[in-house]
Amino acid sequence: MSATRIAVIGSGPRGMMVLERLAARLAQEPGPLDVQLFLVDEVEPGAGRIYRTDQPDWFLMNTVAGQCSAYSGEPDGGPARAGAGPSFGEWWESVGNYPGPDSYAPRGQYGRYLCSVLSAVEKTLPTGVRLRCIKERAEEVVKAGGRYLITLSGGERLDADRVVLTTGHSRNQLTGREGAFADFARQRPELGYIQGDSAADMPLDEITPGSGVGVIGLGLSFYDVMAALTIGRGGRFAPGEDGRLVYHPSGEEPLIVAGSRSGMPLPARGRNQKPPRYSYRPLLFTPERVRAHQPRGPLDFTSHVFPWLLAEIEWVYYGTALRRAFGGKVAARFRTQVELAAEQGVPPTAAIAGRLGLRDVPPVDIDALARPFAHRTFAGPQEFARVLREEIEQDLAHAAEGNVDSPIKAALDVMRDTRWVIRELVDFSGLTGRSQREDFLGWYVPRASFLAAGPPRERLHQVLALMDQGLLRIVGPRTRFDTDPGEGRFVVSSPQVPGSAVPVTTVVDARIPDPDLRRDLSPLTVRLRESGVWTSYVNRSGGTGYDTGGVAVTGRPFHPVDRDGGADEGMYVLGIPTEHTRWFMQVGSSRPGMWSDFVHDADAIAAHALLPVTRTEVPRARTPELFGPATKTAGERSPERKAG
């Protein structure tokens, strides 16, 4: 009998976790085994493109090192292997120069950790299991005779019984405004337009020193671009005499002119006060509680989901403020009263806190926090720069207090810690099509991304230092990026800041492209789409069809649904290509020793991939019950401890 052949295409964190779980499950088989595994990645097998090990160290992660692991189980005294290995922090400490569990690592360092995981997995594969790592691009996957033929960029063809596609971030066809910018620059050799991508893969070295560069977006990628155009040009940050960070330029920097809808750089993460194995347990915002009030049919995010999420945020916010003001006993009373009130519906957390003596604490206003300048008009650039500095300094003060002791930073961490609850409620048409498009993706997700996904504090200190040097201008809220054909340049301005217009010769889109099957330029994706093997998921719940652009898949183990409604059970699609079918697929790790959805998803694929291949027909109605279970087992609802 021929060997079972399984190919994993894409070896970023998702692909590596699938490989790890395949190896862990195979190690538990009694044998004899005859399995050939393939790991295919065009950039770097093990690390993948985003975490490739040759990128500069100024590109940082935004999760502290101690809270990341690429193993599904903790060390057990034996050799590192699939199912039992060190966390990222533990590995970093073992190789030296470890700044501690609360540090933010260079992405390349995490890539080196992923490569060490690959090495450990390969060295400890059970007898009869072989792994071949291939540094090429997979250009086509075709099913023939019950097997899959995988065409590689070098011309080789692999055949496999199962194919796992974890292809990660895409590069999309430019359309609309972005396409117009690219065309405008293409017609004028002195101008440049750099489309959104990982900053490590952007041609930022082509930007001329001293020229003006407009940067679209003030999110995480903005900080990467900022670092590349300053530290990457030979400049350095150092403490000044008054303790403030000072930037010492090299003279090779351009002038960075940046802006976004909010006009505020992404706020800093609170100083970490949580241990690596910390796991948050929601008090109010649970799938069961939301569904108890809306037991049937698709949900409306604004009416059914967000009130309970906001209540969870508020009870942490007011509870932290009460603990700081009056001590733990009063905070415990607050919790008890909130729980009792929740039996009748969404609890009035502010009123309960007020009855316990809390005064002069502003309410949690998600809109105001995410758009701090929305309703203001400024006299000019100088006034806006002063107000912006005050806002950043206030944010840094909150962040310095920590993500346990600062009421606002502790509360906003809830938006991160309850992502699993949101996924369970919204994935696979859990919301009506209209609510998914408008309320969730249109309103909530941009605000949650702004408030709960921030950089380390040092990045905000660097922003202030660059503003002091005159090398960074943030023009204001509702930033406009326009073309000026008469002058042959781009112009960056804010309608709320008179006199803010600044001409620039290059525009950099510092936003990660939104995954969209319909616009993805990857040759593999294009062929899968054109052949009908991959289709775009349409949310038809609530009577309004919404074409999400995410790859249509079944529930675990995530088989693609073809144009005829069939689910190919020999193929699996996991991660970013399925974004919007599911939510928040860009997760790159799990907590040490915790089985979050990140591990559960990979393990479900590994378990199924080791079974015989079949093909089933599924009904055309894309119901949540068929394409994503409405409920999960208790062990899947939140991170749990589990060994491999």
Side-chain angles (χ1 to χ4, degrees), residues 311-324:
E312 185 79 27
I313 293 169
E314 288 177 337
W315 101 257
V316 172
Y317 175 70
Y318 292 122
T320 304
L322 284 165
R323 173 172 55 80
R324 285 170 51 125

Side-chain angles (χ1 to χ4, degrees), residues 66-69 74 87-88 90 276-277 590-594 641:
Q67 293 180 356
C68 300
S69 182
E74 298 184 278
S87 69
F88 177 37
E90 290 165 341
R277 286 154 181 82
S590 189
R591 293 281 179 96
M594 304 285 184
R641 294 188 182 277

